[in-house]
Amino acid sequence: MSGSTAAISTPAVAEHPAGRAMMLGALGVVFGDIGTSPIYAFRESLRTAAEHGTPPDQAVLGVVSLILWAVALVVAVKYVVFVMRADNQGEGGTMALLSLAMPEAGRWKAWLLPVGLAGASLFFGDAMITPAISVLSAVEGLAVAEPVLKPYVVPAALAVLAGLFLIQSRGSAHVGRLFGPVMAAWFIVLAAAGLWHALGRPGILAALDPRHALQAVGMGGGFAALGSVFLAVTGGEALYADMGHFGRPAIRIDWFAVVMPALVLNYLGQGALVLADPAAASDPFFHLFPSMLLLPAVALATAATVIASQAVISGAFALVQQAIQLGAVPRLEVHQTSEETAGQVYVPQINWLLAAAVLALVLGFHSSEALANAYGIAVAGDMLVTTILVSLVAHGRWGLPLAAVLPVAGAFLALDVGFVAANAHKIPGGGWFPLVVATISLTLVLVWIRGRAILLERRDGDAEPLARFLARLETAESPARVPGTAIYLTTRRQVVPAALALNLKHNGVLHEGVVLLTVQGERVPRIPEAERMTVEPLADGFRRVLLRFGFAERPCVMQALGERQDLLSFDPTAASWFIGREVPVLSMRPELPPWQEKLFAFLARNAVGATDYFGIPTPRVVELGTRVEM
């Protein structure tokens, strides 16, 4: 764990003021997705079971039992108990887990990287569908309250979602203060509404018996319903992904003390309602409320789904920032939206891409029932990848013997594979969409990684070794020196930077002070300030400077240099910055297929330049371009 959260032990979190604030914040951000799943998960599961001929009473008990045990096994046991132990210096999520697993992969690294990146790519399919299905399902409550409003459901959902994406550039810091209280009210309402109906039909408590779940799976309708039952656990991965923001103790206490009891009571209540009134199966969640409370319930549900959508969108921004730091995607424009929280960022290109996809999904599917056919398969695939990665970490990093790892991993893999199989029937009806998104995302990432490696290898293939260059400076071949300091960004520390070689070739002079600056992304979330920068003096006024940033940090180069100016003995703001820009061109002997060459060239042309990404003052920059055959 990191920060103040690490100092608060789990039993004392609820009593500590900082711990209570952390718990309220976690309640508002972490549990939005899974907390709004009762709006549609039970309805869709029941409908699927009924379509496959399961008798009504058996369908209700079987579906409720399947949902409750899925929530218990997938979220409570797998994520809260096991996966959340695999923190990378307090951080969670696919990229953090991949960073932990890669050093332990050994000869399996070649396939583990694509598998891990596939999990991250599947997240983007989820990030597009979650806002659409969540907000649509909530606004559809208007049609339950007033059927005459049904034609306005889609326009209202579009308006809510458009407004959500339009305010992303302002960051979620201000709105975030309201998230916790709103979600606290939401979970209280979930629990109260469910408890009221469960008390009126206590026979629903039989669903707690896992034999009903097993019996349901044995029926054709029960297994088919598993794909919809999985909707009840989507969002469970957010508990792990947001661990770095709120800490493991706060999330665990929230889950076991508030969220899980509220979900269990609400699903029991929906089941009891349908047993008492089968007609309520058309929309059991909103039928939990009497007519006089229905519109307030719709308003609260809409607020909760907006919060759930905000959490997913923010998670997409954070994931992209981490991928940029690790070199998995081209540099994009990243804005820090909070001075207090490093993880709150805004990525304009991703925001508008998500907005276009989400609005298109609403227009294309028109209802949460139709969207349910597209939802789930991406999350199931992501959860399967998580099981593989955390199993590798458990054996390789924690040192657990295979005899202990394999039975647990096997059980979770069987569960994940079962959910993937149960969701497979959704592919023709819309499940193809997140799979296409994931395939495109993974292709872009793999082409970028491979293309970037080839470009750097070709660029530096004939580069002069730095040691030999420095030795030449002590001979008569040494070029003229001019006053001032020049800073050259370089990724290869043992060769002369291409920008330096070009500058010397065309201008024939060197500055009296030369800094070879390497900005390095690390496979840890954050680097302590004391370890951020290292300076290595070289010969003839040269020095090598290394700046290290974690994958959850924004690499503010000027700020980092300014904070340790005592180690530099020069003013970074007065130095001249020389930056190389590689322009990929088609080669007669390409190492990439033609379509990948063109795709990489497109990505490279549209990537944000080092000047903007690292925050270097433009008036001090000299950019030198190099054409590199791919």
Side-chain angles (χ1 to χ4, degrees):
M1 301 299 297
S2 62
S4 61
T5 309
I8 304 173
S9 63
T10 303
V13 169
E15 301 176 3
H16 195 286
R20 290 195 296 270
M22 198 75 72
M23 288 170 58
L24 188 61
L27 201 63
V29 175
V30 178
F31 300 100
D33 191 357
I34 195 169
T36 53
S37 59
I39 301 175
Y40 49 83
F42 178 68
R43 179 193 70 199
E44 294 305 314
S45 303
L46 200 60
R47 180 183 59 80
T48 305
E51 287 177 352
H52 287 78
T54 305
D57 285 0
Q58 291 184 24
V60 171
L61 286 175
V63 165
V64 173
S65 187
L66 280 171
I67 288 177
L68 297 185
W69 283 100
V71 169
L73 294 175
V74 174
V75 185
V77 178
K78 177 182 172 180
Y79 275 93
V80 179
V81 175
F82 286 100
V83 176
M84 285 181 66
R85 291 187 60 205
D87 66 291
N88 190 338
Q89 295 188 12
E91 289 286 336
T94 302
M95 298 306 292
L97 186 56
L98 182 60
S99 297
L100 285 176
M102 284 296 289
E104 314 302 332
R107 67 179 185 272
W108 303 107
K109 281 185 180 181
W111 69 265
L112 185 66
L113 180 62
V115 167
L117 293 174
S121 299
L122 286 166
F123 174 82
F124 279 101
D126 176 41
M128 292 175 180
I129 297 177
T130 294
I133 192 173
S134 298
V135 173
L136 254 180
S137 64
V139 178
E140 283 168 350
L142 291 173
V144 177
E146 297 289 345
V148 71
L149 295 177
K150 186 174 182 179
Y152 301 99
V153 167
V154 170
L158 290 172
V160 171
L161 288 166
L164 178 63
F165 284 104
L166 285 171
I167 65 171
Q168 289 303 308
S169 60
R170 300 184 180 183
S172 58
H174 298 297
V175 183
R177 297 191 184 99
L178 300 175
F179 284 6
V182 170
M183 291 307 296
W186 172 252
F187 286 116
I188 290 172
V189 169
L190 285 186
L195 180 62
W196 175 261
H197 288 276
L199 290 176
R201 189 93 178 201
I204 191 63
L205 295 178
L208 296 173
D209 186 341
R211 288 177 295 182
H212 286 285
L214 295 173
Q215 185 179 5
V217 172
M219 300 179 182
F223 182 77
L226 270 181
S228 298
V229 166
F230 188 75
L231 298 174
V233 299
T234 57
E237 71 279 8
L239 279 66
Y240 177 56
D242 289 321
M243 186 168 59
H245 294 294
F246 302 101
R248 186 164 38 210
I251 292 175
R252 282 179 168 171
I253 292 177
D254 271 346
W255 170 255
F256 286 114
V258 180
V259 180
M260 187 175 179
L263 293 176
V264 169
L265 286 173
N266 193 264
Y267 285 121
L268 288 172
Q270 289 190 52
L273 173 65
V274 176
L275 286 177
D277 180 13
S282 60
D283 205 326
F285 178 79
F286 285 110
H287 279 103
L288 289 175
F289 303 94
S291 56
M292 62 181 296
L293 296 179
L294 192 50
L295 286 179
V298 171
L300 182 59
T302 303
T305 55
V306 167
I307 290 172
S309 303
Q310 174 64 61
V312 172
I313 295 167
S314 299
F317 294 159
L319 181 65
V320 169
Q321 181 199 23
Q322 294 173 8
I324 293 171
Q325 283 291 88
L326 293 174
V329 297
R331 288 192 293 258
L332 299 175
E333 187 179 349
V334 178
H335 300 293
Q336 185 73 35
T337 60
S338 171
E339 295 181 0
E340 293 83 18
T341 306
Q344 290 189 12
V345 295
Y346 168 65
V347 186
Q349 296 96 325
I350 300 301
N351 183 63
W352 300 122
L353 177 64
L354 289 176
V358 169
L359 296 179
L361 283 169
V362 173
L363 288 170
F365 286 86
H366 284 91
S367 70
S368 61
E369 179 180 329
L371 266 172
N373 288 325
Y375 197 34
I377 187 131
V379 187
D382 189 16
M383 289 185 173
L384 178 61
V385 170
T386 297
T387 300
I388 295 171
L389 295 178
V390 80
S391 300
L392 186 59
V393 171
H395 175 60
R397 195 176 186 91
W398 299 342
L400 296 179
L402 285 175
V405 173
L406 289 179
V408 178
F412 288 140
L413 282 172
L415 198 61
D416 293 332
V417 170
F419 278 123
V420 170
N423 277 282
H425 75 279
K426 296 181 177 182
I427 295 176
W432 55 267
F433 177 82
L435 296 181
V436 169
V437 170
T439 301
I440 294 173
S441 301
L442 183 60
T443 300
L444 292 174
V445 168
L446 293 178
V447 168
W448 175 258
I449 292 174
R450 176 63 177 151
R452 185 67 180 162
I454 293 173
L455 183 142
L456 293 177
E457 183 179 346
R458 290 284 181 91
R459 184 198 67 183
D460 296 333
D462 299 324
E464 183 178 6
L466 183 61
R468 189 170 71 190
F469 175 80
L470 293 176
R472 282 200 299 112
L473 295 181
E474 300 177 358
T475 68
E477 300 180 27
S478 178
R481 308 295 286 261
V482 296
T485 299
I487 301 176
Y488 293 89
L489 284 180
T490 178
T491 55
R492 304 290 179 94
R493 304 184 67 194
Q494 303 304 324
V495 299
V496 176
L500 192 157
L502 284 172
N503 183 43
L504 190 57
K505 176 181 178 181
H506 293 289
N507 298 319
V509 296
L510 283 177
H511 287 73
E512 291 178 347
V514 177
V515 176
L516 307 179
L517 176 62
T518 299
V519 182
Q520 184 170 300
E522 300 288 354
R523 293 185 178 273
V524 294
R526 292 177 179 82
I527 301 295
E529 290 301 323
E531 303 173 14
R532 173 85 63 206
M533 183 170 70
T534 56
V535 180
E536 179 186 354
L538 302 173
D540 291 294
F542 276 68
R543 73 191 73 186
R544 182 184 285 123
V545 176
L546 173 64
L547 287 179
R548 301 164 60 232
F549 294 91
F551 60 72
E553 297 179 298
R554 177 157 172 74
C556 299
V557 169
M558 295 300 295
Q559 179 181 342
L561 292 176
E563 289 175 349
R564 301 306 307 272
Q565 194 168 324
D566 56 312
L567 297 178
L568 297 175
S569 69
F570 70 89
D571 183 3
T573 61
S576 297
W577 292 72
F578 290 84
I579 297 175
R581 187 175 184 90
E582 301 82 20
V583 181
V585 296
L586 299 182
S587 171
M588 297 298 293
R589 294 177 290 106
E591 292 191 40
L592 290 175
W595 71 271
Q596 292 188 22
E597 279 192 66
K598 294 176 182 178
L599 178 57
F600 176 77
F602 172 80
L603 294 174
R605 285 195 304 270
N606 289 276
V608 172
T611 302
D612 295 325
Y613 185 73
F614 294 124
I616 302 168
T618 305
R620 308 297 307 175
V621 173
V622 178
E623 193 170 272
L624 301 169
T626 307
R627 292 170 65 85
V628 181
E629 288 190 358
M630 295 295 292

